[in-house]
Amino acid sequence: MNKSASNSNDYIVIKAKEDGVSVIGLTRGSDTRFHHSEKLDEGEVMIAQFTEHTSAIKIRGHAKISTAYGEVESEKKHD
Ligand code: TRP
């Protein structure tokens, strides 16, 4: 299987709507674990791809996420 068949080359765009948003990369393969965490402050943008090493991306905190599939907003946990 070539890379373009297994991974999308599309970028996802994450724009933080509050301070302290985490963008967490999870490993590809049988062992799914965090491999990278990036903190964004309000207004900061991260542009990321799914790669050979990254199969999932978890976002904690309030952010706007734009993908080829559409836009979604993550919400801040309110207790
Ligand atoms: N070294 C990582 C990789 O190539 C960098 C990375 C790509 C990443 N996409 C990510 C880190 C998304 C966190 C979230 O897979």
Side-chain angles (χ1 to χ4, degrees):
M1 192 166 34
N2 66 34
K3 271 189 204 161
S4 56
S6 60
N7 305 338
S8 166
N9 293 317
D10 290 339
Y11 287 86
I12 74 162
V13 179
I14 302 128
K15 181 171 185 179
K17 296 291 205 177
E18 64 175 344
D19 288 349
V21 169
S22 296
V23 179
I24 301 158
L26 291 96
T27 55
R28 188 175 295 284
S30 49
D31 177 31
T32 306
R33 58 181 172 72
F34 290 11
H35 67 73
H36 187 90
S37 181
E38 198 68 43
K39 284 268 190 210
L40 303 180
D41 282 337
E42 185 171 356
E44 289 185 325
V45 169
M46 183 166 166
I47 302 164
Q49 280 179 302
F50 293 94
T51 69
E52 186 185 349
H53 304 293
T54 305
S55 66
I57 299 170
K58 174 174 173 173
I59 291 147
R60 292 188 67 135
H62 187 193
K64 192 174 104 180
I65 302 140
S66 306
T67 75
Y69 306 101
E71 289 196 349
V72 66
E73 208 157 307
S74 58
E75 283 162 42
K76 131 195 224 145
K77 182 179 168 191
H78 32 128
D79 31 22

